[in-house]
Amino acid sequence: MKKIDFDALIKEARNTPSLPEARARELFTEFEARLAAKKIRPKIAPAALFAGLGMTGVLLGLLAVFIFHPFGQAVKGTEVVVRANVLPPEKLKVGNTYVFRQTSKSEPVKEVALTFGEATVVKLESRSEKRDFWTLQNGVIAVDNRNAVYKNRIQIGPYVFDEIGTAYVLSKTNDSARLSVAAGLVRVSNVESARVEEIAPGANWMGRVSENGIKTDLSPKPDLAARLASWRQGAEFSWVGPADLLLVKKGQCLRVDLRTGEKKSEFRLEIPTQIRTIRFSDEALAVATHSDFLYFADRNGETTSVRVGSQSAENIFWFGKRLAFVNAEGKISIYGPSHELEKSFTVLTGSLWEGVLVSDRFLVLPDTSARLVVVDLERASVVKELPLEEPAAGRLERKASFVEVPLPGKKIAIEDKNIF
Amino acid sequence: MPSADTRERDENWIRAFQGGDGSVFQKLYLAYLPPLFSFIKRHLYCDDAAAEDLCQDIMMTVYEKLPGFLFKAKFSTYLYTIALNRLRNVKRKKTALSLDEKIPGDGEASFLDGVVEPGTPHQGMFGRQVHELLKTGMETLPEKEREVFALKEFDELTFEEISEITGQSLRNIQYLKEKAQKRLKEYFEQNGILWEEVRA
């Protein structure tokens, strides 16, 4: 019979990953916003109140409130905190002037063009219990969804789709998205006109979304929607064929036909280390891990691995049946249809941020030395180098006819005509 | 667990909060969020996002109720009491809402998943088996025993603190912990592993 050391085993089990301080600070910002959204104030316990003030103090306080309260006058300059993803929670009063302030600089509010600084509310139109439309002094409309904390957002052209409550956005491609709503609402805002374009209907709604609007063409069974919802959190997902969805979570893969609600297959990816990123192609998955290996898996879960050395988990691109992997040192490795290494070459001084495919063969990558490098993956060669003012400060994003490049403090657009 | 200094520090913060200084709550929040997060992960086997959400809910309750804090117990005890009650509610709801057909591995990350540091005694294939066994063994325990065992062994609380948090007598707590340990030992033996106690 094998033996274990109980003491050591328990010590290991105590070793739960902790929360980094930076994340704790972010959460506190979110916490403040939630407090404001729910209008939570500490419930003053009578004992504590009386202990601190005494009866005389309380009476004097009440008298002061009675004398100095503005009773309906405009509350000029009251601060309204706007967190990145939650709009001002207070029910603003028409005629009042408020100072709109944003708490987080790292996550700017994008879903509506909300003025920051002092603004007067000139119109308040309440359309439902959960949504209010405010018109501010400068004509900007703000939308408030109390208690909504948006966790997923996709933007297609001028449209922004946000989860609200228990809605789930499932998948996104370059020019369209498919989304599933297990329950609740998806808010669709038009960023350019700064107004709410459409609120998708409630439970068990499934549709495809493109720049032309929403087209509903799939309607999963309610129980499937519930199961997908339970799977959604922390799962990677991809569409396979016209209506099959493949979800991968903790190595467990589930393929379902969303039209019939039937489970088509279920299998496990045998990958020994923790998964960082999964990239899907039509026939295979590429899985970056916390080890030196990159794994390829077919749709049945059969895996092969290749050693890629240092990690750059986000810079993985399928182009047709081949795959390009860019490591942190800027080396690009191209793997063929059978996952064999076809070629590797170094074109960057280093790679910190995710690049973007601008066609089925051209890859734009930000370099650590203030330039963008356009690589022709078919020919494994550099097509062009575009100088930048400063090194990119974030991942590149593909937009309709340009690539958006985040630089420190601003974003610039590189148009396609300058790339090809 | 918090030392006497920590207790004094916490009590000063709480008094300031009760006196109307709302900004001091940030200090309490930042001091106790990481241990609360780990506590939830260990007890609920959930992913990071779910643990963070629950932490926020618990902190919200603390924020609301802190003006009524009477300094009879340490703040950490007070916090864990609220957290444990919330965890019980969540577990109850999860059971009530569970789907008929459960997907294997669905969302149930264990506190034992991926936490074994290199160089620790129970690594490799056998180590994974042992950790998996501890996880499944814990799941076989009755709820009260599991709770007490986890609070004592994983959260390293004293029997007195566990007694305050759970509202059970000290003697009962000790009994539940011994009982849980005995059951786990038997469970390991049934699975061909002898549990060697080297602790004093």
Side-chain angles (χ1 to χ4, degrees):
Chain A
M1 193 179 274
K2 288 180 179 175
K3 287 181 180 177
I4 56 157
D5 174 354
F6 170 72
D7 225 8
L9 179 66
I10 295 295
K11 268 185 191 162
E12 287 166 17
R14 279 178 202 152
N15 203 8
T16 313
S18 62
L19 194 67
E21 194 191 332
R23 180 66 190 141
R25 289 189 180 279
E26 280 175 18
L27 286 170
F28 185 73
T29 307
E30 191 177 299
F31 176 78
E32 278 184 312
R34 282 198 194 188
L35 282 181
K38 293 187 175 174
K39 295 183 185 175
I40 289 177
R41 301 277 179 274
K43 287 173 186 161
I44 304 294
L49 188 70
F50 282 99
L53 294 175
M55 183 57 83
T56 315
V58 172
L59 292 174
L60 282 172
L62 286 172
L63 188 64
V65 167
F66 183 76
I67 292 169
F68 295 111
H69 193 274
F71 292 111
Q73 289 173 25
V75 190
K76 190 172 175 63
T78 302
E79 279 208 343
V80 177
V81 176
V82 183
R83 200 180 68 86
N85 294 329
V86 181
L87 290 166
E90 284 84 358
K91 188 155 186 169
L92 305 183
K93 286 183 182 172
V94 174
N96 283 3
T97 300
Y98 301 86
V99 176
F100 292 91
R101 182 166 66 83
Q102 190 175 357
T103 55
S104 169
K105 286 180 184 170
S106 61
E107 293 182 89
V109 173
K110 290 178 190 165
E111 58 266 45
V112 291
L114 181 65
T115 298
F116 292 103
E118 202 169 86
T120 303
V121 178
V122 294
K123 188 182 169 193
L124 176 68
E125 185 186 353
S126 184
R127 294 193 183 171
S128 78
E129 280 183 7
K130 288 190 176 176
R131 293 188 299 280
D132 293 328
F133 292 69
W134 305 328
T135 306
L136 303 181
Q137 197 174 28
N138 58 0
V140 172
I141 296 172
V143 183
D144 168 34
N145 280 283
R146 272 181 291 276
N147 305 324
V149 177
Y150 308 124
K151 289 194 171 169
N152 270 302
R153 170 183 304 158
I154 54 173
Q155 181 167 2
I156 301 153
Y159 295 96
V160 171
F161 302 85
D162 271 323
E163 284 188 15
I164 296 174
T166 51
Y168 297 90
V169 176
L170 282 178
S171 175
K172 183 193 172 188
T173 62
N174 278 342
D175 59 354
S176 69
R178 307 180 200 199
L179 50 93
S180 160
V181 185
L185 298 167
V186 167
R187 193 177 65 170
V188 186
S189 326
N190 186 325
V191 176
E192 286 171 2
S193 61
R195 68 192 180 86
V196 171
E197 192 74 4
E198 186 168 349
I199 303 291
N204 304 324
W205 182 88
M206 164 84 52
R208 293 182 188 192
V209 184
S210 73
E211 286 194 33
N212 300 322
I214 296 171
K215 185 185 169 200
T216 307
D217 59 0
L218 294 170
S219 184
K221 289 181 179 177
D223 62 332
L224 176 70
R227 291 187 61 206
L228 285 178
S230 74
W231 256 75
R232 168 64 185 86
Q233 201 168 34
E236 300 276 350
F237 40 82
S238 173
W239 292 81
V240 187
D244 285 7
L245 189 70
L246 179 72
L247 297 113
V248 182
K249 186 174 183 179
K250 295 189 188 302
Q252 194 72 22
C253 302
L254 176 74
R255 182 172 174 168
V256 285
D257 183 332
L258 289 174
R259 283 177 297 201
T260 61
E262 284 174 9
K263 181 172 73 181
K264 280 198 166 173
S265 61
E266 191 166 347
F267 54 89
R268 185 156 189 85
L269 283 176
E270 291 302 332
I271 291 175
T273 47
Q274 202 179 340
I275 292 172
R276 287 185 69 179
T277 309
I278 298 178
R279 293 279 189 270
F280 299 86
S281 78
D282 289 341
E283 293 172 9
L285 295 80
V287 184
T289 66
H290 282 274
S291 73
D292 281 355
F293 289 92
L294 174 72
Y295 293 82
F296 291 95
D298 65 20
R299 295 295 197 194
N300 297 315
E302 292 294 320
T303 56
T304 52
S305 64
V306 291
R307 184 185 282 275
V308 288
S310 65
Q311 299 165 356
S312 178
E314 303 303 321
N315 265 329
I316 306 170
F317 306 92
W318 284 103
F319 56 111
K321 293 184 178 179
R322 296 155 75 212
L323 181 123
F325 179 92
V326 189
N327 77 5
E329 278 80 47
K331 187 173 86 175
I332 302 178
S333 303
I334 294 178
Y335 297 91
S338 309
H339 317 318
E340 75 287 4
L341 180 65
E342 283 187 351
K343 196 167 189 177
S344 69
F345 54 106
T346 302
V347 293
L348 306 174
T349 53
S351 170
L352 292 175
W353 296 104
E354 193 178 342
V356 67
L357 267 177
V358 288
S359 73
D360 55 1
R361 61 186 284 191
F362 292 105
L363 176 62
V364 182
L365 290 164
D367 197 352
T368 47
S369 55
R371 59 186 183 142
L372 293 183
V373 178
V374 184
V375 180
D376 182 343
L377 292 171
E378 289 291 343
R379 294 186 177 178
S381 61
V382 174
V383 178
K384 199 181 263 188
E385 290 179 13
L386 301 163
L388 298 172
E389 294 167 27
E390 291 177 88
R395 53 183 289 194
L396 306 189
E397 280 198 46
R398 180 71 178 136
K399 303 286 180 181
S401 61
F402 61 91
V403 171
E404 190 176 80
V405 185
L407 297 179
K410 64 176 178 182
K411 286 182 178 176
I412 59 165
I414 307 284
E415 291 185 24
D416 282 358
K417 64 182 180 188
N418 295 324
I419 293 172
F420 298 111
Chain B
M1 285 315 298
S3 61
D5 286 350
T6 314
R7 182 170 187 169
E8 197 180 328
R9 177 203 69 182
D10 291 348
E11 291 186 358
N12 286 338
W13 284 345
I14 295 168
R15 284 203 174 86
F17 182 81
Q18 290 179 338
D21 181 3
S23 67
V24 86
F25 191 79
Q26 183 175 7
K27 292 177 184 169
L28 264 180
Y29 181 98
L30 293 176
Y32 281 96
L33 191 71
L36 179 64
F37 175 82
S38 301
F39 177 83
I40 288 168
K41 294 259 317 179
R42 281 195 291 262
H43 285 260
L44 201 59
Y45 313 157
C46 58
D47 59 27
D48 285 3
E52 285 177 4
D53 270 355
L54 205 54
C55 279
Q56 296 286 49
D57 286 346
I58 292 165
M59 283 297 190
M60 203 82 81
T61 308
V62 172
Y63 183 87
E64 274 188 287
K65 296 192 170 171
L66 203 55
F69 184 76
L70 295 173
F71 303 95
K72 284 181 182 170
K74 284 190 277 191
F75 174 73
S76 56
T77 310
Y78 176 75
L79 177 69
Y80 286 134
T81 308
I82 292 175
L84 196 64
N85 285 334
R86 185 59 61 91
L87 284 173
R88 285 173 183 160
N89 286 342
V90 170
K91 283 180 186 167
R92 221 170 287 141
K93 271 188 190 168
K94 270 178 87 172
T95 313
L97 293 173
S98 65
L99 301 166
D100 296 340
E101 189 187 355
K102 201 169 167 44
I103 302 164
D106 179 24
E108 302 292 312
S110 163
F111 63 93
L112 299 168
D113 287 348
V115 298
V116 183
E117 296 284 332
T120 50
H122 300 107
Q123 58 181 333
M125 188 65 86
F126 176 60
R128 278 200 293 276
Q129 275 174 11
V130 168
H131 281 269
E132 192 56 36
L133 214 53
L134 180 57
K135 180 188 159 193
T136 51
M138 287 290 288
E139 283 163 6
T140 62
L141 296 179
E143 191 184 342
K144 280 185 183 173
E145 287 179 23
R146 184 173 62 233
E147 218 167 72
V148 169
F149 186 85
L151 287 169
K152 180 75 183 105
E153 293 295 352
F154 303 138
D155 299 313
E156 298 178 84
L157 301 183
T158 62
F159 282 124
E160 288 77 11
E161 285 166 336
I162 299 171
S163 168
E164 279 186 55
I165 290 170
T166 57
Q168 295 185 60
S169 72
L170 202 57
R171 196 177 167 144
N172 198 28
I173 294 291
Q174 285 166 336
Y175 168 76
L176 287 169
K177 198 262 168 179
E178 289 306 316
K179 189 96 177 160
Q181 193 155 324
K182 196 178 161 203
R183 276 191 217 266
L184 277 177
K185 195 174 178 181
E186 285 167 3
Y187 183 78
F188 270 71
E189 281 175 10
Q190 283 164 14
N191 285 278
I193 293 173
L194 195 62
W195 182 332
E196 217 174 39
E197 283 185 64
V198 289
R199 57 175 55 189

